[in-house]
Amino acid sequence: MGLVSYTRSSIGRKQLMAVTGLLLSLFTLTHMAGNLLIFVGADAYNAYGHALVSNPFIYVAEAGLVVLFFLHLFLAANLTLEARRARPVSYALNPKGARGGVSIAAKSMILTGLLLFVFVVLHLRTFKYGAHYSTTVDGKEIRDLYALMLEVFRDPIYVAWYIFSLLGLGLHLSHGVSSTFQTFGWNHPGLNPFLRRAGSIFAWLVMLGFSAVPVFVYWKG
């Protein structure tokens, strides 16, 4: 099968969506791990942020993330519309049978995806393009992201919005990560429960890691 035929096929687009989703999931994990440096201290957190933005490959990495993000969004919308055209009327009975059926995470993938799109836009505006404070670490003047975090997460409304969005992220990841492997053929009655648990563990890890930061900052005052 040629590349054009592959990308036009349903399975090809599903696999591309799975790959882009998996890469974005790995990015969220590394981003969460970096955010946890705020518990080490202001200098460690600011030095980490400066190391990222001063890397000469930062623009290539950011461009790649933008491409992954919008390609994933486009493929998700395209496949959803295709599925609805093929089956305009919902099944009267749950196709999964009596053992629980389709999960809430699976049913809400479009809604949580839209929520995450809004969240990412606001997140970039707030932090990447937000207020610029300066500090000195090891004799070098750099951006004080720690101060910005303290300022932003003083607002209980923003903290509530942030955690609500992370709940959406958790739902999205819990289904997305496990279904990624099933898309590539790892679909077996004995393996599926393990994949679902693995997806849930990954989602909880990322969600709780991200949530710890605003909660810590808010209660710290």
Side-chain angles (χ1 to χ4, degrees):
M1 180 184 292
L3 179 61
V4 174
S5 300
Y6 175 76
T7 56
R8 287 180 176 177
S9 68
S10 178
I11 186 61
R13 281 174 288 146
K14 286 180 180 178
Q15 290 179 349
L16 284 174
M17 185 176 73
V19 170
T20 56
L22 184 60
L23 292 174
L24 289 169
S25 298
L26 293 175
F27 166 75
T28 61
L29 179 64
T30 57
H31 185 38
M32 180 273 293
N35 273 9
L36 294 180
L37 285 172
I38 199 168
F39 294 103
V40 178
D43 285 356
Y45 186 74
N46 288 327
Y48 162 73
H50 180 71
L52 289 180
V53 299
S54 60
N55 190 307
F57 295 104
I58 183 64
Y59 297 110
V60 176
E62 288 180 339
L65 283 171
V66 169
V67 171
L68 284 175
F69 184 80
F70 281 102
L71 181 58
H72 186 75
L73 186 66
F74 169 78
L75 290 168
N78 181 265
L79 288 166
T80 299
L81 290 174
E82 183 180 87
R84 288 183 177 178
R85 284 196 298 266
R87 195 193 64 197
V89 179
S90 300
Y91 290 128
L93 297 176
N94 195 325
K96 294 290 184 180
R99 295 187 62 190
V102 181
S103 67
I104 295 176
K107 290 179 180 179
S108 62
M109 287 297 281
I110 295 298
L111 291 177
T112 54
L114 292 172
L115 171 65
L116 293 176
F117 177 79
V118 174
F119 172 76
V120 168
V121 172
L122 294 178
H123 185 74
L124 289 173
R125 190 184 72 172
T126 302
F127 293 101
K128 183 175 177 61
Y129 302 107
H132 194 290
Y133 304 113
S134 296
T135 187
T136 302
V137 177
D138 296 331
K140 182 184 296 184
E141 185 175 332
I142 61 176
R143 189 181 183 191
D144 193 346
L145 285 170
Y146 187 89
L148 180 59
M149 295 281 270
L150 294 181
E151 179 182 273
V152 170
F153 290 132
R154 283 196 192 111
D155 184 356
I157 295 177
Y158 191 89
V159 171
W161 153 253
Y162 196 89
I163 293 177
F164 173 75
S165 300
L166 291 176
L167 291 173
L169 175 64
L171 281 173
H172 203 83
L173 287 176
S174 65
H175 176 72
V177 171
S178 60
S179 63
T180 292
F181 297 101
Q182 294 173 353
T183 299
F184 285 95
W186 294 23
N187 195 1
H188 186 275
L191 186 61
N192 288 345
F194 169 78
L195 293 176
R196 284 194 293 270
R197 282 194 295 270
S200 296
I201 291 170
F202 181 88
W204 275 99
L205 177 66
V206 172
M207 182 178 65
L208 292 177
F210 273 121
S211 299
V213 175
V215 172
F216 167 74
V217 173
Y218 180 76
W219 288 109
K220 183 180 179 181

